[in-house]
Structures are given as C-alpha cells and as structure tokens.
Amino acid sequence: GAGVSQTPSNKVTEKGKYVELRCDPISGHTALYWYRQSLGQGPEFLIYFQGTGAADDSGLPNDRFFAVRPEGSVSTLKIQRTERGDSAVYLCASSLTSGGIYEQYFGPGTRLTVT
Amino acid sequence: KNEVEQSPQNLTAQEGEFITINCSYSVGISALHWLQQHPGGGIVSLFMLSSGKKKHGRLIATINIQEKHSSLHITASHPRDSAVYICAVRGGATNKLIFGTGTLLAVQP
C-alpha cells in the first residue's frame, strides 16, 4: 500500500514569507509526527498528533511554527515569517497509534530553503 | 550532552569488512530504533528493539538495557550499505523519537 507522502518535495522561499508543508500519513494511522533535520544533524522532534489533536508540541521552536490535522489524517505544518535558520528537511512519520510500541514510517521529507 | 550519542560519526570500510556502530543513551526508553538514510533519500527503519538481539540478513542489532547501549553490526559489508545510520530512542507518553546525529558509513569496493 501507499506509504507516507509529503508535498512539496522541495520548497524555496524568500525570508519573511509564509509556507505550508503537507503530510499524508498511511491510511489508518492515528499517530502523526513532524521532525526537522538540519544539514549534518539527526532529526529533531517538532510536534505529535494523536487523531486530530496535538498531543505534544514541545518541539516547536517558536510561535512562528504551527501545525494542524483537522480530520485526523492529512497534516499541514505552517511556518510564518520564515527565517534563513528555518532551512532544513522537514520529515513526517506516522504510526498505527502512539500507545504500545509501533513502528514509525517516514515520508521522503520536504526540503525547505529560505533565501 | 546529547541524550543519544553515536560513534563513530564517520566510518570508512573496505568491502567485506565487519562493521559496528555504537549508540549510547541517557534517558529511559520503551524502544530503540536503527534507521538508514541514503543521501537525498528518506529514512527507512531497519530495526526496532526493546531487548536482546535482532537479525535481518547481514544486519544485526543488539541492545543492553542495563548499560543503555546498543550496537548495529553489518557483516560482509558492501558498497550499497553506504548510507547514514541513525540511532533513535523512543520514550515518554507520546513515543516521540529522540535521534542521534548519525554515522556516515562509506564502504569502498
């Protein structure tokens, strides 16, 4: 079946602009995670959804970052007033649920470049 | 100090060599993952383990919960094994992953 998909695969934007990154999880997966990976680093946790609600947003770096998952499937990560430091690969992962030990399946990522 | 430390950061091996990548962590966990990431590619899960040892093909992963340490071994390495190998631990109520910085492996023919 289809895996986790993310769009766009690449996004170049100017400093100060607003961007939206989309994640389509595996069908039936209720848990959805956003991570950010800077060049040469391991991914860092941003936010986690169980169903429609953000159960843990402790990794969001500041209030310019926001994410939604209104119907419990597709999620959108929104970044306002982008800064050059936001340039990174944004990864999405989904799992069957957060309870218990379930595998997380990763999307291919969106490479964001802020110029 | 990072909660998840990997060593080495970079590793170059000759084809056929036995490879070991180490991971140490300082937090309580419910599971540990070994992941593979090719340049420009997505992340693929190799193993998820909470105790003991798992084997898949030429790959072996072990974990020692008491010592908070895990190793990933690759037997009979091949150039196609060249990638970044990332250790990640899962903990807390949300099961979010905490990642190491990765080990860049290059296997030369």
Side-chain angles (χ1 to χ4, degrees):
Chain A
V4 178
S5 63
Q6 292 186 245
T7 54
S9 55
N10 282 281
K11 176 71 177 178
V12 180
T13 191
E14 292 180 349
K15 179 175 178 293
K17 299 289 188 183
Y18 168 83
V19 296
E20 290 189 352
L21 312 178
R22 177 186 167 109
C23 172
D24 279 87
I26 292 172
S27 178
H29 281 193
T30 61
L32 185 147
Y33 302 80
W34 282 100
Y35 300 94
R36 177 169 74 171
Q37 186 174 25
S38 300
L39 192 62
Q41 301 295 316
E44 295 179 314
F45 169 78
L46 294 177
I47 186 170
Y48 151 72
F49 288 89
Q50 178 58 43
T52 60
D56 183 352
D57 63 358
S58 61
L60 294 178
N62 52 59
D63 61 6
R64 295 186 299 105
F65 288 75
F66 188 71
V68 295
R69 195 186 184 200
E71 297 179 357
S73 57
V74 171
S75 177
T76 304
L77 178 66
K78 308 180 180 192
I79 310 174
Q80 298 176 321
R81 304 182 305 280
T82 52
E83 299 177 357
R84 292 194 180 89
D86 299 334
S87 296
V89 175
Y90 289 81
L91 296 162
C92 176
S94 71
S95 69
L96 195 58
T97 183
S98 64
I101 303 176
Y102 289 99
E103 192 68 69
Q104 287 189 23
Y105 296 88
F106 286 83
T110 293
R111 181 175 299 278
L112 175 66
T113 304
V114 182
T115 61
Chain B
K1 188 180 190 296
N2 293 335
E3 293 170 300
V4 181
E5 299 272 1
Q6 283 185 241
S7 63
Q9 288 187 318
N10 291 278
L11 180 57
T12 300
Q14 293 298 314
E15 184 172 358
E17 286 186 2
F18 180 84
I19 289 164
T20 296
I21 300 171
N22 295 299
C23 175
S24 296
Y25 54 93
S26 58
V27 295
I29 70 168
S30 55
L32 182 143
H33 297 249
W34 281 102
L35 308 161
Q36 182 191 58
Q37 186 173 36
H38 284 278
I43 292 176
V44 175
S45 179
L46 300 174
F47 294 103
M48 180 177 66
L49 65 165
S50 54
S51 65
K53 174 181 175 178
K54 287 190 176 181
K55 184 177 190 293
H56 185 255
R58 295 181 293 107
L59 302 179
I60 303 166
T62 63
I63 187 168
N64 185 318
I65 297 294
Q66 287 72 33
E67 295 185 2
K68 295 189 174 180
H69 181 269
S70 176
S71 293
L72 176 69
H73 306 286
I74 305 176
T75 62
S77 59
H78 190 276
R80 64 175 175 266
D81 297 327
S82 299
V84 175
Y85 291 84
I86 304 172
C87 170
V89 299
R90 175 188 296 212
T94 59
N95 281 324
K96 67 187 180 188
L97 294 179
I98 304 170
F99 295 82
T101 54
T103 295
L104 177 59
L105 171 66
V107 181
Q108 297 178 341

